[in-house]
Amino acid sequence: MAFAALYAPGEYVGELVQSTVTTVVTAGTRVQITTTSTPCTGVVVTADENNTGIIVVGGVDVLAASGTTRRGFAVLQPGAAAVIPVRDMSILYVDATNATTARVLAAPIKG
C-alpha cells in the first residue's frame, strides 16, 4: 500500500512505498540503505532532523568524513531531503560526519 503519491506539473510521477530507516553507527563507515533488491524509478532520502552532522548519499564509494574529499550524489543537512533517480534502492549507501545521531529515511518511488 502506498503512503504518498508524487505529481509533477501535469503528470503523475509515482508512489512512495515501504520506507526504510538506516542508521550510520560509525562515522566514516558507509551503510547500505537496504540489502534487498528494490526496483524503483528513484528514492526519496530524508536526513533525520535530529542528526548532529551531515549525511552523504552515494554508491559503494560514498564518503562523508570531515577533512576529506566528500564523495556522493547528495549532501544532506539535518531535516533535508533529496530525490535520487535510480532503478534499484539497494545500490545506495549513506555515510555521516557524526554517528551520534545519523539516521535517514529512504522511500523508493514506484510508478
Side-chain angles (χ1 to χ4, degrees):
M1 179 176 203
F3 66 84
L6 300 176
Y7 294 89
E11 71 177 272
Y12 170 77
V13 176
E15 297 174 337
L16 298 177
V17 294
Q18 65 190 43
S19 61
T20 301
V21 174
T22 303
T23 301
V24 177
V25 178
T26 305
T29 303
R30 71 181 182 269
V31 178
Q32 192 171 12
I33 288 180
T34 182
T35 58
T36 304
S37 178
T38 308
C40 57
T41 57
V43 177
V44 177
V45 182
T46 306
D48 190 294
E49 63 185 24
N50 295 313
N51 288 349
T52 55
I54 65 162
I55 298 283
V56 178
V57 183
V60 296
D61 65 343
V62 69
L63 183 62
S66 297
T68 64
T69 302
R70 292 193 170 108
R71 293 189 302 264
F73 309 133
V75 176
L76 303 176
Q77 298 292 335
V83 176
I84 315 252
V86 292
R87 295 196 184 274
D88 194 315
M89 189 164 84
S90 67
I91 70 166
L92 294 178
Y93 290 76
V94 293
D95 190 13
T97 57
N98 185 336
T100 304
T101 54
R103 295 173 32 144
V104 296
L105 173 69
I109 302 168
K110 301 215 176 178

